[in-house]
Amino acid sequence: MLINVSYNNPERREKINVEVGKPFSLIERFKMKGIGSNKLFITSTSIEIHNLLILDKYTNTCNIEMRPDGILVTFRSLLETYALVIPYYKLKLYKGKAEEYSIYRDQYFIKVKADSKSTHNFMKKVLDFKAKHWSSSSHP
């Protein structure tokens, strides 16, 4: 689900929490050694996301936030912030080229440049967390 998260809206926040879980507590974030990615440079996107990104002339970047049941991929366009909400059971994460990761959910995708060791380590953390805490037998 692609959603505008620029404004504080309790209904929208609840919808995101149902989809991917509530944010981790501060203690959980310390135990996990962080739950967010560095700034990731977008190399390619699906048409719906592309149509938002071309509205301004800024460099297209995004961030990934881990949640208990999925991830949020957030990016900005004009003065708005958008989130691609991806539950783990719909997350497809591929390493296509040596320096690029592809993140898919249904018809949406974002390809990001992976030119640092920290990016590779974060993507590995996401995949490991998904495998360890999200078995297909216990969720849809």
Side-chain angles (χ1 to χ4, degrees), residues 38-43 95 97-101 112-121 123:
N38 294 334
K39 183 188 294 188
L40 303 170
F41 292 93
I42 298 171
T43 58
K95 184 177 181 189
K97 301 175 188 169
E99 300 298 315
E100 184 177 75
Y101 283 94
V112 296
K113 192 176 189 180
D115 54 0
S116 71
K117 187 165 176 63
S118 63
T119 302
H120 293 289
N121 291 341
M123 294 300 185

PDB file of all heavy atoms in Angstrom, residues 38-43 95 97-101 112-121 123:
ATOM      1  N   ASN A  38      20.400   3.714   6.173  1.00  0.00           N
ATOM      2  CA  ASN A  38      20.975   5.001   5.799  1.00  0.00           C
ATOM      3  C   ASN A  38      20.135   5.561   4.658  1.00  0.00           C
ATOM      4  O   ASN A  38      19.208   4.908   4.177  1.00  0.00           O
ATOM      5  CB  ASN A  38      22.416   4.811   5.306  1.00  0.00           C
ATOM      6  CG  ASN A  38      23.333   4.335   6.406  1.00  0.00           C
ATOM      7  OD1 ASN A  38      23.081   4.577   7.574  1.00  0.00           O
ATOM      8  ND2 ASN A  38      24.396   3.658   6.012  1.00  0.00           N
ATOM      9  N   LYS A  39      20.486   6.750   4.182  1.00  0.00           N
ATOM     10  CA  LYS A  39      19.829   7.305   3.010  1.00  0.00           C
ATOM     11  C   LYS A  39      20.176   6.423   1.801  1.00  0.00           C
ATOM     12  O   LYS A  39      21.344   6.150   1.540  1.00  0.00           O
ATOM     13  CB  LYS A  39      20.302   8.728   2.754  1.00  0.00           C
ATOM     14  CG  LYS A  39      19.598   9.397   1.592  1.00  0.00           C
ATOM     15  CD  LYS A  39      20.210  10.722   1.226  1.00  0.00           C
ATOM     16  CE  LYS A  39      20.032  11.746   2.309  1.00  0.00           C
ATOM     17  NZ  LYS A  39      20.460  13.088   1.878  1.00  0.00           N
ATOM     18  N   LEU A  40      19.156   5.957   1.101  1.00  0.00           N
ATOM     19  CA  LEU A  40      19.348   5.086  -0.065  1.00  0.00           C
ATOM     20  C   LEU A  40      18.961   5.849  -1.333  1.00  0.00           C
ATOM     21  O   LEU A  40      17.908   6.479  -1.366  1.00  0.00           O
ATOM     22  CB  LEU A  40      18.492   3.830   0.070  1.00  0.00           C
ATOM     23  CG  LEU A  40      18.719   2.980   1.327  1.00  0.00           C
ATOM     24  CD1 LEU A  40      17.641   1.922   1.449  1.00  0.00           C
ATOM     25  CD2 LEU A  40      20.094   2.360   1.289  1.00  0.00           C
ATOM     26  N   PHE A  41      19.803   5.777  -2.346  1.00  0.00           N
ATOM     27  CA  PHE A  41      19.528   6.470  -3.608  1.00  0.00           C
ATOM     28  C   PHE A  41      18.708   5.566  -4.517  1.00  0.00           C
ATOM     29  O   PHE A  41      19.085   4.422  -4.783  1.00  0.00           O
ATOM     30  CB  PHE A  41      20.831   6.906  -4.281  1.00  0.00           C
ATOM     31  CG  PHE A  41      21.536   7.979  -3.513  1.00  0.00           C
ATOM     32  CD1 PHE A  41      22.514   7.657  -2.580  1.00  0.00           C
ATOM     33  CD2 PHE A  41      21.196   9.313  -3.685  1.00  0.00           C
ATOM     34  CE1 PHE A  41      23.145   8.646  -1.835  1.00  0.00           C
ATOM     35  CE2 PHE A  41      21.821  10.308  -2.951  1.00  0.00           C
ATOM     36  CZ  PHE A  41      22.799   9.976  -2.026  1.00  0.00           C
ATOM     37  N   ILE A  42      17.586   6.096  -4.986  1.00  0.00           N
ATOM     38  CA  ILE A  42      16.661   5.332  -5.822  1.00  0.00           C
ATOM     39  C   ILE A  42      17.177   5.323  -7.257  1.00  0.00           C
ATOM     40  O   ILE A  42      17.484   6.373  -7.818  1.00  0.00           O
ATOM     41  CB  ILE A  42      15.246   5.934  -5.763  1.00  0.00           C
ATOM     42  CG1 ILE A  42      14.706   5.872  -4.330  1.00  0.00           C
ATOM     43  CG2 ILE A  42      14.315   5.223  -6.727  1.00  0.00           C
ATOM     44  CD1 ILE A  42      13.406   6.623  -4.117  1.00  0.00           C
ATOM     45  N   THR A  43      17.261   4.126  -7.862  1.00  0.00           N
ATOM     46  CA  THR A  43      17.715   4.012  -9.246  1.00  0.00           C
ATOM     47  C   THR A  43      16.558   3.753 -10.215  1.00  0.00           C
ATOM     48  O   THR A  43      16.636   4.133 -11.370  1.00  0.00           O
ATOM     49  CB  THR A  43      18.762   2.889  -9.394  1.00  0.00           C
ATOM     50  OG1 THR A  43      18.192   1.662  -8.959  1.00  0.00           O
ATOM     51  CG2 THR A  43      20.008   3.192  -8.583  1.00  0.00           C
ATOM     52  N   LYS A  95      18.740  -8.996  -4.772  1.00  0.00           N
ATOM     53  CA  LYS A  95      19.980  -8.294  -5.077  1.00  0.00           C
ATOM     54  C   LYS A  95      20.252  -8.595  -6.545  1.00  0.00           C
ATOM     55  O   LYS A  95      20.788  -9.642  -6.885  1.00  0.00           O
ATOM     56  CB  LYS A  95      21.115  -8.791  -4.187  1.00  0.00           C
ATOM     57  CG  LYS A  95      22.396  -8.032  -4.407  1.00  0.00           C
ATOM     58  CD  LYS A  95      23.466  -8.499  -3.451  1.00  0.00           C
ATOM     59  CE  LYS A  95      24.710  -7.691  -3.697  1.00  0.00           C
ATOM     60  NZ  LYS A  95      25.842  -8.228  -2.965  1.00  0.00           N
ATOM     61  N   LYS A  97      21.890  -6.492  -9.373  1.00  0.00           N
ATOM     62  CA  LYS A  97      23.280  -6.194  -9.698  1.00  0.00           C
ATOM     63  C   LYS A  97      24.078  -6.197  -8.400  1.00  0.00           C
ATOM     64  O   LYS A  97      23.510  -6.218  -7.310  1.00  0.00           O
ATOM     65  CB  LYS A  97      23.372  -4.823 -10.366  1.00  0.00           C
ATOM     66  CG  LYS A  97      22.567  -4.700 -11.642  1.00  0.00           C
ATOM     67  CD  LYS A  97      22.620  -3.275 -12.146  1.00  0.00           C
ATOM     68  CE  LYS A  97      21.653  -3.089 -13.303  1.00  0.00           C
ATOM     69  NZ  LYS A  97      21.496  -1.687 -13.646  1.00  0.00           N
ATOM     70  N   ALA A  98      25.390  -6.155  -8.509  1.00  0.00           N
ATOM     71  CA  ALA A  98      26.244  -6.167  -7.315  1.00  0.00           C
ATOM     72  C   ALA A  98      25.969  -4.968  -6.420  1.00  0.00           C
ATOM     73  O   ALA A  98      26.071  -5.058  -5.206  1.00  0.00           O
ATOM     74  CB  ALA A  98      27.707  -6.193  -7.728  1.00  0.00           C
ATOM     75  N   GLU A  99      25.603  -3.848  -6.997  1.00  0.00           N
ATOM     76  CA  GLU A  99      25.417  -2.614  -6.223  1.00  0.00           C
ATOM     77  C   GLU A  99      23.965  -2.136  -6.239  1.00  0.00           C
ATOM     78  O   GLU A  99      23.708  -0.934  -6.210  1.00  0.00           O
ATOM     79  CB  GLU A  99      26.332  -1.518  -6.774  1.00  0.00           C
ATOM     80  CG  GLU A  99      27.806  -1.851  -6.726  1.00  0.00           C
ATOM     81  CD  GLU A  99      28.317  -2.052  -5.304  1.00  0.00           C
ATOM     82  OE1 GLU A  99      27.980  -1.226  -4.434  1.00  0.00           O
ATOM     83  OE2 GLU A  99      29.034  -3.040  -5.072  1.00  0.00           O
ATOM     84  N   GLU A 100      23.006  -3.054  -6.311  1.00  0.00           N
ATOM     85  CA  GLU A 100      21.603  -2.637  -6.372  1.00  0.00           C
ATOM     86  C   GLU A 100      20.699  -3.683  -5.728  1.00  0.00           C
ATOM     87  O   GLU A 100      20.878  -4.878  -5.945  1.00  0.00           O
ATOM     88  CB  GLU A 100      21.195  -2.421  -7.833  1.00  0.00           C
ATOM     89  CG  GLU A 100      19.796  -1.889  -8.013  1.00  0.00           C
ATOM     90  CD  GLU A 100      19.478  -1.628  -9.476  1.00  0.00           C
ATOM     91  OE1 GLU A 100      19.256  -2.596 -10.211  1.00  0.00           O
ATOM     92  OE2 GLU A 100      19.461  -0.448  -9.861  1.00  0.00           O
ATOM     93  N   TYR A 101      19.742  -3.218  -4.928  1.00  0.00           N
ATOM     94  CA  TYR A 101      18.717  -4.081  -4.346  1.00  0.00           C
ATOM     95  C   TYR A 101      17.364  -3.681  -4.915  1.00  0.00           C
ATOM     96  O   TYR A 101      17.099  -2.497  -5.131  1.00  0.00           O
ATOM     97  CB  TYR A 101      18.670  -3.937  -2.822  1.00  0.00           C
ATOM     98  CG  TYR A 101      19.776  -4.656  -2.114  1.00  0.00           C
ATOM     99  CD1 TYR A 101      20.952  -3.993  -1.780  1.00  0.00           C
ATOM    100  CD2 TYR A 101      19.659  -5.998  -1.769  1.00  0.00           C
ATOM    101  CE1 TYR A 101      21.975  -4.647  -1.122  1.00  0.00           C
ATOM    102  CE2 TYR A 101      20.679  -6.665  -1.119  1.00  0.00           C
ATOM    103  CZ  TYR A 101      21.835  -5.983  -0.794  1.00  0.00           C
ATOM    104  OH  TYR A 101      22.854  -6.639  -0.152  1.00  0.00           O
ATOM    105  N   VAL A 112      17.203   0.332  -5.277  1.00  0.00           N
ATOM    106  CA  VAL A 112      18.091   1.276  -4.600  1.00  0.00           C
ATOM    107  C   VAL A 112      19.542   0.892  -4.822  1.00  0.00           C
ATOM    108  O   VAL A 112      19.877  -0.280  -4.968  1.00  0.00           O
ATOM    109  CB  VAL A 112      17.793   1.368  -3.082  1.00  0.00           C
ATOM    110  CG1 VAL A 112      16.407   1.910  -2.836  1.00  0.00           C
ATOM    111  CG2 VAL A 112      17.990   0.034  -2.404  1.00  0.00           C
ATOM    112  N   LYS A 113      20.386   1.914  -4.837  1.00  0.00           N
ATOM    113  CA  LYS A 113      21.824   1.742  -4.998  1.00  0.00           C
ATOM    114  C   LYS A 113      22.407   1.265  -3.666  1.00  0.00           C
ATOM    115  O   LYS A 113      22.079   1.810  -2.614  1.00  0.00           O
ATOM    116  CB  LYS A 113      22.417   3.095  -5.392  1.00  0.00           C
ATOM    117  CG  LYS A 113      23.818   3.064  -5.861  1.00  0.00           C
ATOM    118  CD  LYS A 113      24.182   4.481  -6.284  1.00  0.00           C
ATOM    119  CE  LYS A 113      25.495   4.537  -6.983  1.00  0.00           C
ATOM    120  NZ  LYS A 113      25.829   5.890  -7.377  1.00  0.00           N
ATOM    121  N   ALA A 114      23.250   0.247  -3.722  1.00  0.00           N
ATOM    122  CA  ALA A 114      23.883  -0.288  -2.514  1.00  0.00           C
ATOM    123  C   ALA A 114      25.386  -0.140  -2.658  1.00  0.00           C
ATOM    124  O   ALA A 114      26.082  -1.074  -3.016  1.00  0.00           O
ATOM    125  CB  ALA A 114      23.491  -1.739  -2.321  1.00  0.00           C
ATOM    126  N   ASP A 115      25.877   1.060  -2.399  1.00  0.00           N
ATOM    127  CA  ASP A 115      27.300   1.333  -2.619  1.00  0.00           C
ATOM    128  C   ASP A 115      28.093   1.403  -1.320  1.00  0.00           C
ATOM    129  O   ASP A 115      29.230   1.842  -1.314  1.00  0.00           O
ATOM    130  CB  ASP A 115      27.476   2.616  -3.425  1.00  0.00           C
ATOM    131  CG  ASP A 115      26.770   3.802  -2.801  1.00  0.00           C
ATOM    132  OD1 ASP A 115      26.137   3.633  -1.747  1.00  0.00           O
ATOM    133  OD2 ASP A 115      26.858   4.898  -3.378  1.00  0.00           O
ATOM    134  N   SER A 116      27.491   0.953  -0.207  1.00  0.00           N
ATOM    135  CA  SER A 116      28.225   0.948   1.058  1.00  0.00           C
ATOM    136  C   SER A 116      27.984  -0.369   1.798  1.00  0.00           C
ATOM    137  O   SER A 116      26.955  -1.016   1.613  1.00  0.00           O
ATOM    138  CB  SER A 116      27.792   2.120   1.937  1.00  0.00           C
ATOM    139  OG  SER A 116      26.490   1.914   2.425  1.00  0.00           O
ATOM    140  N   LYS A 117      28.929  -0.720   2.623  1.00  0.00           N
ATOM    141  CA  LYS A 117      28.835  -1.957   3.399  1.00  0.00           C
ATOM    142  C   LYS A 117      27.639  -1.898   4.353  1.00  0.00           C
ATOM    143  O   LYS A 117      26.971  -2.900   4.586  1.00  0.00           O
ATOM    144  CB  LYS A 117      30.126  -2.190   4.163  1.00  0.00           C
ATOM    145  CG  LYS A 117      30.202  -3.520   4.864  1.00  0.00           C
ATOM    146  CD  LYS A 117      31.619  -3.821   5.279  1.00  0.00           C
ATOM    147  CE  LYS A 117      31.738  -5.091   6.066  1.00  0.00           C
ATOM    148  NZ  LYS A 117      31.365  -6.289   5.378  1.00  0.00           N
ATOM    149  N   SER A 118      27.350  -0.716   4.887  1.00  0.00           N
ATOM    150  CA  SER A 118      26.232  -0.588   5.829  1.00  0.00           C
ATOM    151  C   SER A 118      24.890  -0.901   5.147  1.00  0.00           C
ATOM    152  O   SER A 118      23.997  -1.469   5.777  1.00  0.00           O
ATOM    153  CB  SER A 118      26.204   0.805   6.449  1.00  0.00           C
ATOM    154  OG  SER A 118      25.996   1.790   5.471  1.00  0.00           O
ATOM    155  N   THR A 119      24.747  -0.554   3.865  1.00  0.00           N
ATOM    156  CA  THR A 119      23.521  -0.877   3.137  1.00  0.00           C
ATOM    157  C   THR A 119      23.378  -2.387   2.992  1.00  0.00           C
ATOM    158  O   THR A 119      22.305  -2.939   3.232  1.00  0.00           O
ATOM    159  CB  THR A 119      23.512  -0.198   1.750  1.00  0.00           C
ATOM    160  OG1 THR A 119      23.637   1.216   1.925  1.00  0.00           O
ATOM    161  CG2 THR A 119      22.233  -0.504   1.002  1.00  0.00           C
ATOM    162  N   HIS A 120      24.455  -3.064   2.612  1.00  0.00           N
ATOM    163  CA  HIS A 120      24.417  -4.529   2.488  1.00  0.00           C
ATOM    164  C   HIS A 120      24.089  -5.167   3.838  1.00  0.00           C
ATOM    165  O   HIS A 120      23.281  -6.099   3.901  1.00  0.00           O
ATOM    166  CB  HIS A 120      25.749  -5.058   1.957  1.00  0.00           C
ATOM    167  CG  HIS A 120      26.041  -4.667   0.546  1.00  0.00           C
ATOM    168  ND1 HIS A 120      25.360  -5.189  -0.531  1.00  0.00           N
ATOM    169  CD2 HIS A 120      26.935  -3.787   0.035  1.00  0.00           C
ATOM    170  CE1 HIS A 120      25.836  -4.658  -1.650  1.00  0.00           C
ATOM    171  NE2 HIS A 120      26.787  -3.790  -1.328  1.00  0.00           N
ATOM    172  N   ASN A 121      24.706  -4.664   4.909  1.00  0.00           N
ATOM    173  CA  ASN A 121      24.444  -5.205   6.240  1.00  0.00           C
ATOM    174  C   ASN A 121      22.989  -4.997   6.660  1.00  0.00           C
ATOM    175  O   ASN A 121      22.380  -5.877   7.272  1.00  0.00           O
ATOM    176  CB  ASN A 121      25.381  -4.573   7.279  1.00  0.00           C
ATOM    177  CG  ASN A 121      26.817  -5.013   7.105  1.00  0.00           C
ATOM    178  OD1 ASN A 121      27.093  -6.025   6.469  1.00  0.00           O
ATOM    179  ND2 ASN A 121      27.740  -4.245   7.653  1.00  0.00           N
ATOM    180  N   MET A 123      20.308  -4.677   4.662  1.00  0.00           N
ATOM    181  CA  MET A 123      19.442  -5.569   3.874  1.00  0.00           C
ATOM    182  C   MET A 123      19.521  -7.003   4.411  1.00  0.00           C
ATOM    183  O   MET A 123      18.511  -7.705   4.473  1.00  0.00           O
ATOM    184  CB  MET A 123      19.817  -5.526   2.394  1.00  0.00           C
ATOM    185  CG  MET A 123      19.569  -4.192   1.739  1.00  0.00           C
ATOM    186  SD  MET A 123      17.844  -3.700   1.810  1.00  0.00           S
ATOM    187  CE  MET A 123      17.884  -2.214   0.849  1.00  0.00           C
TER     188      MET A 123
END
